[in-house]
Amino acid sequence: QVQLVESGGGLVQAGGSLRLSCTASGRAFSSYCMGWFRQAPGVEREFVGAITRSGGTTDYADSVKGRFTISRDNAKNTVYLQMNSLKPEDTAVYYCAARQSFFASTMGRDYDYWGQGTQVTVSS
């Protein structure tokens, strides 16, 4: 069992930056691939990015590529989402998710555990 807690959301102006954190409780954090997803009102949840267990490989949605960076610190049981050059369309609730697999996934249904989400609002 893994519990995930996101933090770092807030209100930022367009062009600004935020760093989200997701801290996991429980053991064997390094055995989980981690993903970030987001959901805006009236919109389906969408994939943002993912990182493999060791952090050696990352994958991003085209909409955030070049602006967002995922990293992880397995010693701290934490995964990060650095968001730069934020746009109003990035406004959403951001969720981290854990998948006990060697392979990361862009599909939400492949993840086993989810955090409660943190709100990110980007003003124009």
Side-chain angles (χ1 to χ4, degrees):
Q1 186 78 13
V2 174
Q3 292 185 325
L4 304 173
V5 179
E6 302 98 334
S7 61
L11 173 64
V12 63
Q13 288 188 331
S17 299
L18 281 175
R19 187 177 81 155
L20 305 184
S21 300
C22 172
T23 300
S25 63
R27 296 179 292 180
F29 175 72
S30 59
S31 69
Y32 291 88
C33 292
M34 300 299 296
W36 285 96
F37 293 80
R38 66 187 183 186
Q39 188 166 24
V43 179
E44 289 189 358
R45 181 180 61 197
E46 65 171 344
F47 170 75
V48 173
I51 188 167
T52 53
R53 298 181 303 180
S54 68
T57 302
T58 55
D59 189 19
Y60 299 95
D62 288 342
S63 59
V64 306
K65 202 170 292 184
R67 299 188 297 123
F68 291 11
T69 303
I70 296 175
S71 61
R72 67 189 295 162
D73 185 339
N74 286 342
K76 295 182 178 180
N77 282 13
T78 300
V79 61
Y80 304 97
L81 180 66
Q82 178 66 45
M83 305 185 293
N84 299 329
S85 302
L86 282 161
K87 305 175 181 179
E89 51 263 44
D90 294 319
T91 295
V93 178
Y94 283 70
Y95 300 89
C96 69
R99 180 182 192 220
Q100 194 166 21
S101 171
F102 182 80
F103 299 102
S105 173
T106 65
M107 306 298 293
R109 63 174 180 257
D110 290 336
Y111 287 80
D112 305 302
Y113 302 101
W114 291 81
Q116 82 290 348
T118 186
Q119 176 70 46
V120 172
T121 303
V122 184
S123 63
S124 57

